[in-house]
Amino acid sequence: DMKKHSRTTKQRSIILEEVRKLKSHPTADEVFRLVRERLPQVSLATVYRNLDVLVEAGEIVRLETSGASYRFDGDLAEHYHIRCTECGCVDDVPALEIEVPEGWVQSTTDYEVAGHKLEFVGLCAGCKAQDLPGDAGDEVVNA
């Protein structure tokens, strides 16, 4: 059915646009909320299915971070990620000139190494600010 196919294609291209627009590595639910503003009839299942199709097609990347839910990245250039251990947000880290010893890993294990994922973890600026003891504005400390 061509009509259904063109609807699917339109939904998929809007989903792709929304993921690429965001630098925040959105979860499927966040993508759904944004897409629904443009396509009020869209279902969560449709968004999930299309995210899967876009990942399979190599249009977006599904981040397999240690966070609670999958996040999606529209930036296909090589780069790493840093995840906040408190709120779970994920930010980009530019690709580093680091030698990852895949050959050594392969020679010291029984695995055939296909690649690697590097994820940094820490506290984002927002969570770091909340972790400060007391209100920073209250007192002036003379050094």
Side-chain angles (χ1 to χ4, degrees), residues 34-129:
L34 289 164
V35 171
R36 203 174 50 187
E37 289 175 17
R38 294 172 65 182
L39 298 170
Q41 304 302 313
V42 79
S43 71
L44 183 58
T46 297
V47 171
Y48 269 90
R49 191 173 55 251
N50 280 290
L51 285 168
D52 285 341
V53 170
L54 289 166
V55 168
E56 290 299 313
E59 295 279 347
I60 62 174
V61 177
R62 180 188 287 116
L63 302 185
E64 295 176 28
T65 62
S66 332
S69 29
Y70 284 129
R71 290 175 171 273
F72 296 88
D73 191 350
D75 181 359
L76 302 178
E78 192 182 332
H79 63 282
Y80 298 110
H81 296 105
I82 185 161
R83 179 177 52 84
C84 180
T85 51
E86 197 68 35
C87 72
C89 74
V90 175
D91 282 300
D92 289 335
V93 175
L96 303 163
E97 291 298 319
I98 53 175
E99 275 305 307
V100 177
E102 288 184 359
W104 176 81
V105 172
Q106 190 156 312
S107 65
T108 55
T109 66
D110 290 335
Y111 284 77
E112 183 178 319
V113 176
H116 70 276
K117 292 185 171 71
L118 178 58
E119 179 188 51
F120 296 91
V121 292
L123 277 182
C124 72
C127 291
K128 205 165 54 179

